[in-house]
Amino acid sequence: MDKEVLDYAVEKTHELMSAPSCSNEAKAAAQTWLDSIGTDREAAETKKYIDELEADILPVDSLIGFAGSEAGIQVFGEETAKNIEAHAIEIKSAGEKYCDCPACAAVAAILSKKDVLLK
């Protein structure tokens, strides 16, 4: 694997794991992947990690729907939910496809190198 891309993915993986919005499943997959680097499990764990990241990244339309729902209001509180919904609408109108929270931003950065990581 290209060392520069690997180093980038490792850096973004640490950012992902540090993000408050990172799911437990993504943290576990990230740690398993980090632990596999340099071993005979690396290729298989990279594929599993990419699959987990693709499942976890939140499309902006889903964020808009959740933030504007009763469940979103229960999770975030009414004011924060309204702010998140407005922000999501704003980034969608600017062309974003995914949520831009720290976890999703790290995932998007890693996935941008997916083709090289999976080689």
Side-chain angles (χ1 to χ4, degrees), residues 7-68:
D7 290 347
Y8 178 82
V10 167
E11 175 186 338
K12 293 300 177 182
T13 295
H14 286 291
E15 288 178 20
L16 169 64
M17 294 171 72
S18 296
S21 52
C22 183
S23 71
N24 289 333
E25 297 82 7
K27 281 182 187 176
Q31 189 60 60
T32 299
W33 178 71
L34 289 170
D35 292 344
S36 78
I37 295 172
T39 72
D40 60 350
R41 299 182 344 264
E42 183 176 347
E45 292 302 332
T46 299
K47 170 85 171 88
K48 290 179 190 175
Y49 184 43
I50 296 296
D51 289 346
E52 180 66 34
L53 297 180
E54 289 178 332
D56 282 3
I57 195 165
L58 187 62
V60 72
D61 286 331
S62 296
L63 178 59
I64 293 167
F66 181 70

